[in-house]
Amino acid sequence: MRVALFITCFNDTLFPQAGRATVQLLERLGHTVDFPEEQTCCGQMHFNTGYQREALPLIHRFVQIFSQAEVIVAPSASCVGMVREIYPLAAEWFGDQRLLEEVQALSPRVYELSEFLVYRLGLEDVGAYYPHRVTYHPTCHSLRFLRVGDAPLRLLRAVRGIDLVELPEAEECCGFGGTFAIKNADTSLAMLNDKLRNIMGTRAEVCTAADNSCLMHIGGALHRQRAGVQTVHLAEILAATEGENRA
Amino acid sequence: MSEAPDNPSSKRALPAFPVAASKALENAQLRRNMRKATSTIREKRTRAVAEMPDWEELREAGHRIKENVLRSLDTYLLELEASVQAAGGQVHWARDAQEANDIIGQIATKHAAREVIKVKSLTTDEIRLNSALKARGIEAIETDLAELIIQLAGEGSSHILVPAIHKNRAEIRELFLKKLDVDQLTDEPRDLTNAARSHLRRKFLSTPVAISGTNFAVAETGSVCVVESEGNGRMCLTLPRVLISVMGIEKVIPTWQDLEVFLQLLPRSSTAERMNPYTSIWTGVHPNDGPQEFHLVLLDNGRTRVLADTVGRQALHCIRCSACLNICPVYSRTGGHAYNSVYPGPIGAILTPQLLGLERAGSLPYASSLCGACYDVCPVKINIPQVLISLRGQVVRQKQRSRRLRDRTNPEAIVMRVIARIFANRTRYEQAQHLAQIGQLPIKHGEFIEKLPGELGNWTIMRDMTAVPPQSFRDWWRTHQQEQNRPEDKSE
């Protein structure tokens, strides 16, 4: 299958390793990856913060750039959520019928990585080897907006060598929320504190998730605290094989 | 309460949520109380809902009934008025809080009441009824235990269902010893309740005028429904001679049959019970049975303005169950006072700004990480995240159209515009990426940045920031492509 990679501005700039891992994984599974280089950003940060008019050109751009792709995959539940759940809303709010039709045609072809692997390709064992103690944080976007269900867990369980430990109060928001972490810093930190406490309690070496946004927030605090616990994106764990076990 | 920030007769802005929340978060006792109370009720609600095989259908039905009501609100309200009048009740239309208070005050004065007894009603809190009556020399006595507690303590409610959620029993015991006619008291719940009960029983039997809110009012029959846990409502609704019920206009439902949906949705979502211990429904007046005079006060107070917002109007579906409060990671840590409004939590974040205006409550739509847990539990499927985003858009546009230069050129707006321009063009975007890689060098330590400038410094108070790696994904991709396209070395 030809898969168009939607890298997301966030991963492209700050977490390229998640993109590299996604490419390596998909190629290992026998698919061809395209990277439409014109892509920049889906507009989520702007739209959700209230700058909807400013986001509109970015929405149009995205739709146009990916309109011909057969299948689009992103290592980010929040950005896929933006395209599938918010783009139709944006089209309605701006009364743009043409955009709405384009978005409705595009949506069914856009997948977050774990839902692509499990629900579209029907895979759970992707040939990964990752001998570490890992706990999984279900991000709010993957859990509630995309409803990926237990796809990430099914994939993780099939990873050879992994010691997967359940995260208590997993479904509680980590407190990132985009600009929320800046505008409501103290509340964000109070939420983060509980998430960290739960992660540390699992004695995991690694906390993983489908979104680098949450992981940047969680990992940033873990690093500041010199906790000795790392955050690694799901794609990197799934891409890891023998002789490549880096935490 | 008359000094509280969301007073309808004031123009003052509410204290900014980040500031109020920050203060509340420091209160360790509050944090403990909130955590215990919300986690307990959350688990109970999950169990109560899991018993219902058709819960999702019920939610959808509740949503559609409310949607339908809002689309034809004028018709249903007129039908309700006719039905109530036909059953011997009187209907009053109040444009705003002041009109409602005048209407109610006049009825109470007409009956020479120095005291009135009250069933817990958020709507009466919203209009500041108690202080308006006090100004007329009439004392409103709260009969709901939690409302009694906060009335005695002189505080505001911090939860729409459990107003004294921020108090534990030791604190309540101290309060009762000080304010009620008791000499000694333990902090056992039974003891505390009995003290309140004796105090209230005297009031129920002697006060001729009662005031309640309205959970649902049936247009078809003119019936009004109030649900409660303690029985004080039942006392107030049956013993006095005169009953006044205040009702937000969005509380009307079309038919008696529709109660079936809401009376299943509400108890399981709010107190996590299969049915409210007391469900009272009455229609008009009946000779020698119950109140001989019934007044229904229909309250607008900003609701028709909310109705005009096609996205925001779903906030009027709310049946005041508080499931969203209990599951909200923000509310369960900050408590309700931080919202400075009669309606706190997720529903408050979308309703208060719409009722009071965004100029007064513009920080509330941002009091959320958009986690979506509230939407999942809302029994009438209010898409709270969607409304929050819409209201944020209105806040931003208001600033952009403001006459104040300070609003139009606020730093956030400038940065957002600049970033949008960068993202709109691939070359500019890639240049910005390379610029960031270089520009961060002075503040980068290894793979992290320990202090960000300006408002972004909020991030680095407690977190390191991931530094921009030296090679972006797309730069790696280009080399990856070149490697892919190289002719393969045949080593055989």
Side-chain angles (χ1 to χ4, degrees), chain B residues 111-163:
Chain B
H111 291 275
R114 303 311 310 276
E115 284 183 341
V116 299
I117 45 177
K118 279 191 67 202
V119 190
K120 171 185 153 67
S121 159
L122 285 168
T123 315
T124 62
D125 292 340
E126 180 191 327
I127 61 177
R128 304 295 194 279
L129 175 66
N130 293 10
S131 4
L133 289 175
K134 193 155 187 185
R136 283 176 172 262
I138 301 167
E139 208 202 324
I141 297 163
E142 295 290 348
T143 63
D144 176 275
L145 179 58
E147 291 288 341
L148 174 70
I149 290 167
I150 63 176
Q151 185 172 55
L152 292 174
E155 288 176 20
S157 166
S158 73
H159 187 288
I160 67 176
L161 191 67
V162 199

Short mmCIF file of all heavy atoms in Angstrom, two decimals, chain B residues 111-163:
data_model
loop_
_atom_site.label_atom_id
_atom_site.label_comp_id
_atom_site.label_asym_id
_atom_site.label_seq_id
_atom_site.Cartn_x
_atom_site.Cartn_y
_atom_site.Cartn_z
N HIS B 111 -48.48 38.33 51.20
CA HIS B 111 -48.90 37.38 52.23
C HIS B 111 -48.27 37.67 53.58
O HIS B 111 -48.27 36.83 54.48
CB HIS B 111 -48.57 35.95 51.78
CG HIS B 111 -49.42 35.49 50.64
ND1 HIS B 111 -50.67 34.94 50.82
CD2 HIS B 111 -49.22 35.56 49.29
CE1 HIS B 111 -51.19 34.66 49.63
NE2 HIS B 111 -50.34 35.03 48.69
N ALA B 112 -47.72 38.88 53.69
CA ALA B 112 -47.12 39.33 54.95
C ALA B 112 -46.09 38.35 55.50
O ALA B 112 -46.00 38.15 56.71
CB ALA B 112 -48.22 39.61 55.98
N ALA B 113 -45.34 37.75 54.61
CA ALA B 113 -44.36 36.76 55.07
C ALA B 113 -43.09 37.46 55.53
O ALA B 113 -42.55 38.30 54.82
CB ALA B 113 -44.04 35.79 53.93
N ARG B 114 -42.61 37.14 56.77
CA ARG B 114 -41.32 37.65 57.21
C ARG B 114 -40.22 36.64 56.91
O ARG B 114 -39.05 36.97 56.86
CB ARG B 114 -41.33 37.93 58.73
CG ARG B 114 -42.41 38.89 59.20
CD ARG B 114 -42.47 40.17 58.38
NE ARG B 114 -41.19 40.82 58.20
CZ ARG B 114 -40.64 41.65 59.09
NH1 ARG B 114 -41.25 41.91 60.23
NH2 ARG B 114 -39.48 42.21 58.83
N GLU B 115 -40.65 35.37 56.75
CA GLU B 115 -39.73 34.29 56.40
C GLU B 115 -40.33 33.48 55.26
O GLU B 115 -41.56 33.33 55.18
CB GLU B 115 -39.54 33.34 57.59
CG GLU B 115 -38.65 33.88 58.68
CD GLU B 115 -38.46 32.85 59.80
OE1 GLU B 115 -39.27 31.90 59.90
OE2 GLU B 115 -37.49 33.00 60.54
N VAL B 116 -39.46 32.95 54.42
CA VAL B 116 -39.91 31.96 53.43
C VAL B 116 -38.97 30.77 53.53
O VAL B 116 -37.80 30.93 53.89
CB VAL B 116 -39.91 32.51 51.98
CG1 VAL B 116 -40.83 33.69 51.83
CG2 VAL B 116 -38.51 32.87 51.54
N ILE B 117 -39.51 29.58 53.25
CA ILE B 117 -38.63 28.41 53.23
C ILE B 117 -38.31 28.06 51.78
O ILE B 117 -39.14 28.26 50.88
CB ILE B 117 -39.25 27.18 53.94
CG1 ILE B 117 -40.72 26.99 53.54
CG2 ILE B 117 -39.09 27.31 55.44
CD1 ILE B 117 -41.35 25.76 54.16
N LYS B 118 -37.10 27.58 51.57
CA LYS B 118 -36.65 27.36 50.21
C LYS B 118 -36.18 25.94 50.00
O LYS B 118 -35.54 25.33 50.86
CB LYS B 118 -35.46 28.29 49.91
CG LYS B 118 -35.85 29.70 49.55
CD LYS B 118 -34.65 30.43 49.01
CE LYS B 118 -34.22 29.85 47.67
NZ LYS B 118 -32.82 30.16 47.36
N VAL B 119 -36.50 25.43 48.81
CA VAL B 119 -35.89 24.19 48.33
C VAL B 119 -34.68 24.64 47.53
O VAL B 119 -34.73 25.66 46.83
CB VAL B 119 -36.84 23.42 47.39
CG1 VAL B 119 -36.28 22.04 47.09
CG2 VAL B 119 -38.23 23.34 47.99
N LYS B 120 -33.61 23.88 47.61
CA LYS B 120 -32.40 24.24 46.87
C LYS B 120 -32.73 24.53 45.41
O LYS B 120 -33.36 23.75 44.74
CB LYS B 120 -31.40 23.10 46.94
CG LYS B 120 -30.20 23.29 46.03
CD LYS B 120 -29.34 22.05 46.08
CE LYS B 120 -28.54 21.85 44.81
NZ LYS B 120 -27.52 22.86 44.63
N SER B 121 -32.28 25.67 44.95
CA SER B 121 -32.51 26.04 43.57
C SER B 121 -31.38 26.91 43.06
O SER B 121 -31.18 28.03 43.53
CB SER B 121 -33.83 26.80 43.45
OG SER B 121 -33.86 27.55 42.26
N LEU B 122 -30.66 26.38 42.10
CA LEU B 122 -29.57 27.14 41.49
C LEU B 122 -30.08 28.40 40.83
O LEU B 122 -29.41 29.44 40.82
CB LEU B 122 -28.87 26.29 40.42
CG LEU B 122 -27.97 25.21 40.94
CD1 LEU B 122 -27.59 24.29 39.81
CD2 LEU B 122 -26.74 25.82 41.56
N THR B 123 -31.28 28.30 40.26
CA THR B 123 -31.84 29.45 39.55
C THR B 123 -32.06 30.61 40.52
O THR B 123 -31.82 31.76 40.17
CB THR B 123 -33.15 29.05 38.85
OG1 THR B 123 -32.94 27.80 38.19
CG2 THR B 123 -33.56 30.08 37.82
N THR B 124 -32.50 30.29 41.73
CA THR B 124 -32.71 31.36 42.71
C THR B 124 -31.37 31.93 43.17
O THR B 124 -31.27 33.11 43.49
CB THR B 124 -33.52 30.90 43.94
OG1 THR B 124 -32.80 29.87 44.62
CG2 THR B 124 -34.89 30.42 43.55
N ASP B 125 -30.32 31.09 43.17
CA ASP B 125 -28.98 31.60 43.48
C ASP B 125 -28.52 32.53 42.36
O ASP B 125 -27.94 33.58 42.61
CB ASP B 125 -27.96 30.45 43.59
CG ASP B 125 -28.21 29.59 44.81
OD1 ASP B 125 -28.89 30.05 45.75
OD2 ASP B 125 -27.74 28.44 44.82
N GLU B 126 -28.81 32.13 41.14
CA GLU B 126 -28.40 32.91 39.98
C GLU B 126 -28.95 34.33 40.05
O GLU B 126 -28.26 35.30 39.72
CB GLU B 126 -28.90 32.21 38.70
CG GLU B 126 -28.55 32.92 37.40
CD GLU B 126 -29.31 32.32 36.23
OE1 GLU B 126 -29.57 31.09 36.24
OE2 GLU B 126 -29.64 33.07 35.29
N ILE B 127 -30.20 34.47 40.46
CA ILE B 127 -30.82 35.80 40.49
C ILE B 127 -30.62 36.52 41.82
O ILE B 127 -31.08 37.64 42.00
CB ILE B 127 -32.34 35.75 40.16
CG1 ILE B 127 -33.09 34.91 41.20
CG2 ILE B 127 -32.56 35.23 38.75
CD1 ILE B 127 -34.61 34.88 40.95
N ARG B 128 -29.90 35.87 42.74
CA ARG B 128 -29.65 36.48 44.06
C ARG B 128 -30.97 36.76 44.79
O ARG B 128 -31.15 37.82 45.39
CB ARG B 128 -28.84 37.78 43.95
CG ARG B 128 -27.53 37.65 43.25
CD ARG B 128 -26.60 36.73 44.03
NE ARG B 128 -25.23 36.81 43.58
CZ ARG B 128 -24.74 36.17 42.51
NH1 ARG B 128 -25.52 35.38 41.80
NH2 ARG B 128 -23.47 36.32 42.19
N LEU B 129 -31.85 35.80 44.74
CA LEU B 129 -33.17 35.96 45.36
C LEU B 129 -33.07 36.25 46.85
O LEU B 129 -33.74 37.15 47.37
CB LEU B 129 -34.00 34.69 45.13
CG LEU B 129 -35.36 34.67 45.84
CD1 LEU B 129 -36.28 35.74 45.25
CD2 LEU B 129 -36.02 33.30 45.70
N ASN B 130 -32.22 35.48 47.55
CA ASN B 130 -32.15 35.63 49.00
C ASN B 130 -31.80 37.06 49.41
O ASN B 130 -32.41 37.60 50.35
CB ASN B 130 -31.16 34.64 49.61
CG ASN B 130 -31.63 33.20 49.46
OD1 ASN B 130 -32.60 32.92 48.75
ND2 ASN B 130 -30.94 32.28 50.10
N SER B 131 -30.84 37.68 48.74
CA SER B 131 -30.50 39.06 49.13
C SER B 131 -31.59 40.04 48.75
O SER B 131 -31.83 41.01 49.47
CB SER B 131 -29.17 39.55 48.57
OG SER B 131 -28.59 38.63 47.73
N ALA B 132 -32.27 39.77 47.62
CA ALA B 132 -33.36 40.67 47.22
C ALA B 132 -34.49 40.61 48.25
O ALA B 132 -35.09 41.63 48.60
CB ALA B 132 -33.88 40.28 45.84
N LEU B 133 -34.77 39.42 48.75
CA LEU B 133 -35.83 39.28 49.76
C LEU B 133 -35.39 39.95 51.05
O LEU B 133 -36.19 40.60 51.73
CB LEU B 133 -36.14 37.80 50.00
CG LEU B 133 -36.87 37.08 48.86
CD1 LEU B 133 -37.00 35.59 49.16
CD2 LEU B 133 -38.25 37.70 48.62
N LYS B 134 -34.13 39.77 51.37
CA LYS B 134 -33.60 40.37 52.61
C LYS B 134 -33.79 41.89 52.57
O LYS B 134 -34.13 42.50 53.59
CB LYS B 134 -32.12 40.04 52.74
CG LYS B 134 -31.56 40.35 54.09
CD LYS B 134 -30.35 39.49 54.36
CE LYS B 134 -29.91 39.71 55.81
NZ LYS B 134 -28.69 39.00 56.09
N ALA B 135 -33.56 42.47 51.39
CA ALA B 135 -33.74 43.92 51.25
C ALA B 135 -35.18 44.34 51.50
O ALA B 135 -35.46 45.49 51.82
CB ALA B 135 -33.29 44.35 49.86
N ARG B 136 -36.10 43.37 51.35
CA ARG B 136 -37.52 43.65 51.63
C ARG B 136 -37.88 43.26 53.05
O ARG B 136 -39.06 43.24 53.41
CB ARG B 136 -38.40 42.83 50.68
CG ARG B 136 -38.48 43.36 49.28
CD ARG B 136 -39.31 42.38 48.43
NE ARG B 136 -39.58 42.93 47.14
CZ ARG B 136 -40.72 43.54 46.80
NH1 ARG B 136 -41.70 43.64 47.68
NH2 ARG B 136 -40.87 44.03 45.59
N GLY B 137 -36.88 42.86 53.82
CA GLY B 137 -37.15 42.45 55.19
C GLY B 137 -37.68 41.04 55.30
O GLY B 137 -38.31 40.66 56.29
N ILE B 138 -37.43 40.22 54.28
CA ILE B 138 -37.89 38.83 54.31
C ILE B 138 -36.68 37.91 54.35
O ILE B 138 -35.77 38.04 53.53
CB ILE B 138 -38.73 38.51 53.06
CG1 ILE B 138 -39.94 39.46 52.99
CG2 ILE B 138 -39.19 37.06 53.07
CD1 ILE B 138 -40.63 39.44 51.64
N GLU B 139 -36.67 36.98 55.29
CA GLU B 139 -35.55 36.05 55.38
C GLU B 139 -35.87 34.75 54.66
O GLU B 139 -36.91 34.12 54.90
CB GLU B 139 -35.22 35.75 56.84
CG GLU B 139 -33.74 35.40 56.99
CD GLU B 139 -33.45 34.60 58.24
OE1 GLU B 139 -34.12 34.87 59.26
OE2 GLU B 139 -32.58 33.70 58.18
N ALA B 140 -34.98 34.36 53.77
CA ALA B 140 -35.15 33.11 53.04
C ALA B 140 -34.35 32.04 53.75
O ALA B 140 -33.15 32.18 53.91
CB ALA B 140 -34.67 33.27 51.61
N ILE B 141 -35.04 30.98 54.17
CA ILE B 141 -34.37 29.92 54.93
C ILE B 141 -34.14 28.72 54.04
O ILE B 141 -35.09 28.13 53.52
CB ILE B 141 -35.22 29.52 56.14
CG1 ILE B 141 -35.34 30.74 57.07
CG2 ILE B 141 -34.61 28.35 56.88
CD1 ILE B 141 -36.45 30.61 58.05
N GLU B 142 -32.86 28.38 53.87
CA GLU B 142 -32.53 27.21 53.05
C GLU B 142 -32.83 25.95 53.85
O GLU B 142 -32.45 25.84 55.01
CB GLU B 142 -31.05 27.24 52.65
CG GLU B 142 -30.68 28.41 51.75
CD GLU B 142 -31.26 28.30 50.35
OE1 GLU B 142 -31.78 27.21 49.98
OE2 GLU B 142 -31.21 29.29 49.60
N THR B 143 -33.48 24.99 53.22
CA THR B 143 -33.85 23.77 53.94
C THR B 143 -33.07 22.54 53.48
O THR B 143 -33.09 21.50 54.12
CB THR B 143 -35.35 23.48 53.80
OG1 THR B 143 -35.65 23.24 52.42
CG2 THR B 143 -36.18 24.64 54.31
N ASP B 144 -32.38 22.65 52.37
CA ASP B 144 -31.50 21.58 51.92
C ASP B 144 -30.29 21.59 52.84
O ASP B 144 -29.74 22.67 53.10
CB ASP B 144 -31.10 21.87 50.47
CG ASP B 144 -30.10 20.89 49.91
OD1 ASP B 144 -28.90 21.10 50.12
OD2 ASP B 144 -30.54 19.91 49.28
N LEU B 145 -29.85 20.44 53.32
CA LEU B 145 -28.81 20.41 54.35
C LEU B 145 -27.54 21.15 53.92
O LEU B 145 -27.00 21.97 54.66
CB LEU B 145 -28.47 18.96 54.73
CG LEU B 145 -27.37 18.79 55.79
CD1 LEU B 145 -27.74 19.51 57.08
CD2 LEU B 145 -27.12 17.31 56.06
N ALA B 146 -27.05 20.87 52.72
CA ALA B 146 -25.82 21.51 52.28
C ALA B 146 -26.01 23.02 52.11
O ALA B 146 -25.13 23.82 52.43
CB ALA B 146 -25.33 20.88 50.97
N GLU B 147 -27.19 23.41 51.58
CA GLU B 147 -27.47 24.83 51.42
C GLU B 147 -27.56 25.50 52.79
O GLU B 147 -27.11 26.64 52.98
CB GLU B 147 -28.80 25.04 50.67
CG GLU B 147 -28.77 24.64 49.21
CD GLU B 147 -27.97 25.59 48.34
OE1 GLU B 147 -27.73 26.74 48.76
OE2 GLU B 147 -27.55 25.18 47.25
N LEU B 148 -28.15 24.78 53.76
CA LEU B 148 -28.23 25.30 55.13
C LEU B 148 -26.82 25.54 55.67
O LEU B 148 -26.54 26.58 56.26
CB LEU B 148 -28.98 24.31 56.02
CG LEU B 148 -29.04 24.64 57.52
CD1 LEU B 148 -29.93 25.86 57.76
CD2 LEU B 148 -29.57 23.45 58.33
N ILE B 149 -25.95 24.56 55.42
CA ILE B 149 -24.57 24.68 55.89
C ILE B 149 -23.89 25.92 55.32
O ILE B 149 -23.30 26.72 56.04
CB ILE B 149 -23.76 23.40 55.54
CG1 ILE B 149 -24.24 22.24 56.40
CG2 ILE B 149 -22.26 23.62 55.74
CD1 ILE B 149 -23.74 20.88 55.94
N ILE B 150 -23.96 26.08 54.01
CA ILE B 150 -23.24 27.23 53.45
C ILE B 150 -23.94 28.54 53.79
O ILE B 150 -23.28 29.58 53.91
CB ILE B 150 -22.96 27.12 51.94
CG1 ILE B 150 -24.25 27.07 51.12
CG2 ILE B 150 -22.09 25.92 51.63
CD1 ILE B 150 -23.96 27.07 49.62
N GLN B 151 -25.27 28.49 54.02
CA GLN B 151 -25.97 29.72 54.43
C GLN B 151 -25.50 30.13 55.82
O GLN B 151 -25.21 31.29 56.08
CB GLN B 151 -27.48 29.50 54.43
CG GLN B 151 -28.27 30.78 54.74
CD GLN B 151 -29.76 30.59 54.55
OE1 GLN B 151 -30.38 29.69 55.12
NE2 GLN B 151 -30.37 31.46 53.76
N LEU B 152 -25.38 29.14 56.72
CA LEU B 152 -24.91 29.44 58.07
C LEU B 152 -23.46 29.93 58.03
O LEU B 152 -23.05 30.77 58.82
CB LEU B 152 -25.02 28.19 58.96
CG LEU B 152 -26.43 27.72 59.31
CD1 LEU B 152 -26.38 26.40 60.08
CD2 LEU B 152 -27.19 28.76 60.10
N ALA B 153 -22.68 29.36 57.11
CA ALA B 153 -21.26 29.74 57.02
C ALA B 153 -21.04 31.05 56.27
O ALA B 153 -19.94 31.58 56.25
CB ALA B 153 -20.47 28.62 56.35
N GLY B 154 -22.12 31.55 55.63
CA GLY B 154 -21.97 32.80 54.88
C GLY B 154 -21.11 32.65 53.64
O GLY B 154 -20.47 33.58 53.17
N GLU B 155 -21.10 31.43 53.07
CA GLU B 155 -20.26 31.19 51.90
C GLU B 155 -21.08 30.95 50.66
O GLU B 155 -22.29 30.81 50.71
CB GLU B 155 -19.40 29.94 52.14
CG GLU B 155 -18.31 30.14 53.15
CD GLU B 155 -17.58 28.83 53.40
OE1 GLU B 155 -17.67 27.94 52.55
OE2 GLU B 155 -16.92 28.72 54.45
N GLY B 156 -20.41 30.86 49.53
CA GLY B 156 -21.05 30.51 48.28
C GLY B 156 -20.92 29.02 48.03
O GLY B 156 -20.05 28.35 48.58
N SER B 157 -21.79 28.53 47.19
CA SER B 157 -21.75 27.12 46.84
C SER B 157 -20.53 26.81 45.98
O SER B 157 -20.10 27.63 45.19
CB SER B 157 -23.02 26.77 46.05
OG SER B 157 -22.86 25.52 45.43
N SER B 158 -19.97 25.62 46.17
CA SER B 158 -18.83 25.27 45.33
C SER B 158 -19.14 24.09 44.41
O SER B 158 -18.26 23.57 43.75
CB SER B 158 -17.59 24.99 46.17
OG SER B 158 -17.72 23.76 46.82
N HIS B 159 -20.38 23.64 44.35
CA HIS B 159 -20.72 22.49 43.50
C HIS B 159 -22.21 22.58 43.27
O HIS B 159 -22.96 22.88 44.19
CB HIS B 159 -20.35 21.20 44.24
CG HIS B 159 -20.49 19.95 43.42
ND1 HIS B 159 -21.72 19.42 43.06
CD2 HIS B 159 -19.57 19.12 42.91
CE1 HIS B 159 -21.52 18.31 42.36
NE2 HIS B 159 -20.23 18.10 42.26
N ILE B 160 -22.65 22.30 42.05
CA ILE B 160 -24.08 22.54 41.80
C ILE B 160 -24.96 21.50 42.48
O ILE B 160 -26.14 21.72 42.68
CB ILE B 160 -24.40 22.60 40.28
CG1 ILE B 160 -24.21 21.26 39.59
CG2 ILE B 160 -23.57 23.67 39.61
CD1 ILE B 160 -24.62 21.31 38.12
N LEU B 161 -24.41 20.36 42.81
CA LEU B 161 -25.23 19.33 43.44
C LEU B 161 -24.92 19.20 44.93
O LEU B 161 -25.80 18.99 45.74
CB LEU B 161 -24.98 17.98 42.76
CG LEU B 161 -25.95 16.88 43.14
CD1 LEU B 161 -27.34 17.19 42.64
CD2 LEU B 161 -25.48 15.55 42.55
N VAL B 162 -23.66 19.32 45.25
CA VAL B 162 -23.21 19.13 46.62
C VAL B 162 -22.52 20.43 47.06
O VAL B 162 -21.30 20.50 47.12
CB VAL B 162 -22.20 17.95 46.71
CG1 VAL B 162 -22.09 17.47 48.13
CG2 VAL B 162 -22.63 16.81 45.81
N PRO B 163 -23.33 21.45 47.36
CA PRO B 163 -22.77 22.79 47.57
C PRO B 163 -21.71 22.89 48.66
O PRO B 163 -20.89 23.80 48.63
CB PRO B 163 -23.99 23.65 47.94
CG PRO B 163 -25.16 22.87 47.47
CD PRO B 163 -24.79 21.43 47.57
#
